[in-house]
Amino acid sequence: MSSQDIPEENLPAAQSAGHDEHGHGAVSVADDKHPFADPGLPPHEHRVQDVDERAAKRSERSVAFLFTLSMLATVGFIASFVAIPVDKSVFIFPLGHISALNFALGMTLGIALFCIGAGAVHWARTLMSDVEVADERHPIEAAPEVREKVFADFKQGAKESALGRRKLIRNTMLGALTLVPLSGVVLLRDLGPLPGTKLRHTLWSKGKLLVNMNTNEPLRPSDVAVGSLTFAKPEGLEEHDHDFQNEIAKAALMIVRIQPDNIKDKRELEWSHQGIVAYSKICTHVGCPISLYEQQTHHVLCPCHQSTFDLSDGARVIFGPAGHALPQLRIGVNDEGYLEALGDFEEPVGPAFWERG
């Protein structure tokens, strides 16, 4: 479009003649030193909220509604996290069958965040001051008068935001901003369920048979030779069980037969059967499975960090970073001649229990 097509009153020269002395709309003339003209700022146009208090009230209520909706969505997020089962699915067109929990969490958290943003934008565009102010660039270091100007501008901006006067907006905004972080706090539950007393107990109990991990058959004393290392699990625990990994991580057992005369610890001898001793397979350092056995010394070695335990002396630690001895399981023989547990471990199995429990 050429200048001939622009109405005369809209030409820069005509605009500059009608604008105030503060430079709003002023147009400088280009010269050799400044080849580009400065069009200045356009004239300020008042919004309907600036001149009509009823319109301002409507905008205030709209902003408050968005902040309130954000609060309700946050409450819905928390309620969904607690009430909806993890395995429940729903059909949502056109997404198909999806997790009900994921859908509810995504929708509620998205609405909560969107409403805070939309409320802030609507507040800024309709109620906060929209006067544009031009300021010259200044050196990086702040002179005293600049600092005073910054503080004055901040106070002026705070005043023009009407935060103190628009109490409905202020209160609902603070409520929304206070509740939204609760979504992140609730998500901490996904770090895992609280252990309660589960770490203090395993599947071993009085009468549970010792089942060979390789053959899946109950063990007899004759199945355990002197100098051999056998791994066992509790009767009834199968690999296809949904909680197999969690349970075997606590109940895994290693069985060694030692000549009774070579057992140094009195309690270990009392809890054994004809020199057959049963100890937790889980290292007390970081929970690695112990699998290396030295027949001559009756030492077992954890392959992760070389913690070494003496199975002939109460499985005490003789080397490495493990903090305490391996828990022993008291065993005996039932009427049918099978090895059985006479109870659970006396102490929790695994690493650093007292720090975790």
Side-chain angles (χ1 to χ4, degrees):
M1 177 182 292
S2 66
S3 60
Q4 288 79 6
D5 299 324
I6 303 176
E8 183 176 352
E9 63 273 12
N10 292 338
L11 290 175
Q15 290 182 350
S16 61
H19 295 161
D20 60 33
E21 64 277 5
H22 298 291
H24 283 192
V27 179
S28 64
V29 179
D31 54 26
D32 294 337
K33 186 177 181 181
H34 301 93
F36 299 101
D38 180 7
L41 294 176
H44 177 258
E45 295 182 4
H46 291 289
R47 301 162 301 186
V48 63
Q49 289 85 359
D50 297 332
V51 297
D52 187 350
E53 182 59 24
R54 289 180 299 177
K57 286 291 184 181
R58 286 195 298 270
S59 296
E60 181 180 3
R61 289 192 293 269
S62 298
V63 174
F65 171 77
L66 290 170
F67 288 154
T68 304
L69 186 58
S70 173
M71 290 189 283
L72 295 176
T74 300
V75 173
F77 177 94
I78 297 173
S80 300
F81 199 89
V82 173
I84 301 178
V86 176
D87 55 354
K88 183 178 181 179
S89 62
V90 293
F91 180 82
I92 304 294
F93 179 84
L95 302 178
H97 289 280
I98 60 175
S99 169
L101 179 60
N102 289 347
F103 180 77
L105 294 181
M107 287 294 295
T108 52
L109 184 59
I111 291 173
L113 295 176
F114 173 80
C115 286
I116 288 179
V121 170
H122 190 58
W123 180 12
R125 291 181 62 86
T126 61
L127 294 174
M128 292 185 184
S129 174
D130 67 337
V131 177
E132 298 185 34
V133 178
D135 198 2
E136 297 294 333
R137 293 185 180 181
H138 53 78
I140 295 178
E141 66 274 13
E145 58 272 15
V146 174
R147 290 196 296 269
E148 293 178 4
K149 183 178 184 304
V150 169
F151 289 133
D153 290 346
F154 176 80
K155 292 179 180 178
Q156 181 66 22
K159 181 180 179 180
E160 292 177 348
S161 69
L163 188 61
R165 188 162 59 92
R166 307 289 182 180
K167 295 182 178 181
L168 182 60
I169 288 181
R170 180 192 63 193
N171 295 338
T172 53
M173 179 193 70
L174 292 177
L177 293 177
T178 301
L179 285 180
V180 160
L182 294 179
S183 303
V185 174
V186 172
L187 289 175
L188 293 177
R189 194 188 77 169
D190 275 351
L191 294 176
L194 295 175
T197 61
K198 292 188 295 184
L199 298 178
R200 302 176 184 271
H201 307 286
T202 72
L203 288 182
W204 292 110
S205 60
K206 183 176 176 60
K208 279 284 183 81
L209 298 181
L210 278 63
V211 177
N212 191 308
M213 287 284 292
N214 295 323
T215 64
N216 210 34
E217 296 292 335
L219 286 167
R220 297 178 180 270
S222 58
D223 297 330
V224 185
V226 175
S228 66
L229 177 65
T230 305
F231 299 122
K233 64 180 180 178
E235 174 190 13
L237 182 61
E238 302 296 338
E239 292 189 11
H240 56 75
D241 295 340
H242 76 280
D243 59 346
F244 174 79
Q245 297 297 337
N246 290 331
E247 295 300 337
I248 200 63
K250 298 183 294 181
L253 204 65
M254 58 180 176
I255 303 171
V256 174
R257 190 164 202 160
I258 304 173
Q259 292 293 350
D261 295 340
N262 294 332
I263 298 179
K264 306 171 187 177
D265 186 81
K266 182 179 179 180
R267 193 185 80 161
E268 178 182 358
L269 182 60
E270 293 176 352
W271 285 17
S272 66
H273 176 76
Q274 298 177 357
I276 300 175
V277 295
Y279 282 98
S280 170
K281 185 183 176 182
I282 309 304
C283 180
T284 57
H285 178 218
V286 292
C288 296
I290 298 173
S291 58
L292 303 177
Y293 175 60
E294 209 287 314
Q295 298 180 356
Q296 305 302 320
T297 61
H298 309 299
H299 295 169
V300 288
L301 176 71
C302 176
C304 292
H305 304 97
Q306 288 69 57
S307 292
T308 306
F309 306 86
D310 186 356
L311 294 189
S312 66
D313 190 13
R316 66 182 180 89
V317 183
I318 59 175
F319 179 80
H324 53 275
L326 297 171
Q328 182 181 2
L329 184 69
R330 189 173 184 178
I331 60 173
V333 174
N334 65 9
D335 296 338
E336 299 177 357
Y338 292 106
L339 291 172
E340 66 175 2
L342 299 181
D344 198 358
F345 291 103
E346 288 290 317
E347 62 270 12
V349 302
F353 171 80
W354 298 115
E355 287 78 12
R356 293 184 292 114

